Amino acid sequence: MTDFTARSPKIAAHEQALWSEFVESRCGIHFGATRMRYLQGCLWERMRDLRIGGYDEYYNHVSFNARGEQEWKRLLELIVNGETSFFRHLPTFEALEREILPEVMLNKRKRGQVEINMWSACCSSGEEAYTIAMAGLTVAEAGLWQLRVWGTDISEASLTKCRRGEYSPRAVANVPLLCRRRFLTLVEGERDVYYRVTESAKAVVMFDWFNLLRPETYGNGKCDVIFCQNALIYLRPELRVKVVTQLTDKLGPDGFLFLAPGEVIGLQFPGLKMFRLGDSLIYRRVT
């Protein structure tokens, strides 16, 4: 009899292969030997709740049960539960505000365009998307530009948090003082203190569900700036190239793609030219 109060039972080699292939086929995240313990813990948490004692049995439940799709969504929330914050990598957003957006606006003026479209492809609980919006609203002259920021993620629970726009003091710790005063409101509740994104910032940000394995399903037109940082690291190198190539197709003329340096070491991406601004790694569309 399974002891559901104990630590997760040992997972056999064939079960590891089964689950690793299943998860990768659904969301692209690859669990090799070094990360299998994490996946095993996620599986056991759901198995324990459902009183399912075997990894094979749980696989059949997720794959073939009538409620399997709903169970997959619950498991996925555990798998993709990532930590993020506002202005997570400050040099990146300084580059966006001081260099990239002014150049985007200059090129737009030459074409007689007033729309600026930016996309946080894996926005988690929304901090990155709102940070992009803060940078855009800081640079773009009010009334002269139509600023739109899209935040997408595979986690429905994360998107709910995004739309709520309420964050702990720890999450906003890196927000510059001027941005905090302009775009965040301190709320003192009965049990805790938190910050709420102002309506002026919320108004330019839209959130939607999105699977990074299928960038072609992004249907909001061409983007001037795309952020996809700290997500590709979980994919196999060949899949990283495929995803970036598809993201490149979503960039407008001379569009910019922000990636995390550790995710792209040794990889080449057609149609993009890499350059650095300080500590920021940026790619520019050249085709």
Side-chain angles (χ1 to χ4, degrees), residues 6 9 41 45 76 87 91 109 117 131 146 164 166 175 186 191 196 219 227-228 236 250 260 262 273 283 287:
E45 183 170 337
L76 182 64
F87 293 87
R109 287 192 186 98
N117 297 309
T131 301
Q146 296 177 13
R164 188 181 303 123
E166 297 175 353
V175 178
L186 179 65
R191 296 185 178 181
R196 179 182 293 139
F227 275 71
C228 187
R236 295 179 187 269
K250 298 300 178 182
K273 180 180 180 180
Y283 287 81
T287 59

Side-chain angles (χ1 to χ4, degrees), residues 8 17 29 32 48 88 97 107 113 154 163 176 185 198 203 216 225:
S8 58
I29 298 177
R48 190 168 48 198
R88 183 174 181 178
E97 185 176 325
N107 291 333
Q113 299 171 338
I154 198 171
R163 298 182 181 110
T185 301
T198 62
E216 71 277 6
V225 177

Side-chain angles (χ1 to χ4, degrees), residues 27-82:
C27 65
I29 298 177
H30 173 64
F31 284 94
T34 58
R35 298 189 67 235
M36 184 53 61
R37 183 180 293 275
Y38 176 78
L39 176 59
Q40 183 177 338
C42 295
L43 296 173
W44 180 237
E45 183 170 337
R46 291 304 306 151
M47 290 163 61
R48 190 168 48 198
D49 288 346
L50 296 170
R51 314 303 284 182
I52 294 176
Y55 295 103
D56 281 340
E57 183 183 355
Y58 181 52
Y59 174 82
N60 289 333
H61 177 81
V62 176
S63 299
F64 307 114
N65 189 280
R67 292 174 292 184
E69 193 60 33
Q70 289 302 315
E71 178 55 31
W72 161 246
K73 291 180 180 179
R74 294 186 181 95
L75 175 62
L76 182 64
E77 298 298 340
L78 298 176
I79 292 174
V80 301
N81 182 25

Side-chain angles (χ1 to χ4, degrees), residues 118-119 150 152 210 214-223 250:
M118 297 186 283
W119 178 21
W150 299 94
T152 59
F210 174 76
R214 300 191 61 192
E216 71 277 6
T217 62
Y218 175 81
N220 296 308
K222 296 293 186 179
C223 294
K250 298 300 178 182

Side-chain angles (χ1 to χ4, degrees), residues 188-209:
E188 297 184 8
E190 294 182 0
R191 296 185 178 181
D192 57 1
V193 174
Y194 61 92
Y195 286 86
R196 179 182 293 139
V197 178
T198 62
E199 292 304 317
S200 63
K202 277 188 173 182
V204 301
V205 186
M206 289 135 287
F207 294 102
D208 202 0
W209 186 91

Side-chain angles (χ1 to χ4, degrees), residues 145-177:
W145 295 98
Q146 296 177 13
L147 180 66
R148 291 290 180 269
V149 178
W150 299 94
T152 59
D153 202 83
I154 198 171
S155 167
E156 295 284 4
S158 292
L159 291 171
T160 298
K161 296 178 182 178
C162 293
R163 298 182 181 110
R164 188 181 303 123
E166 297 175 353
Y167 299 94
S168 68
R170 177 182 177 184
V172 307
N174 293 331
V175 178
L177 182 58

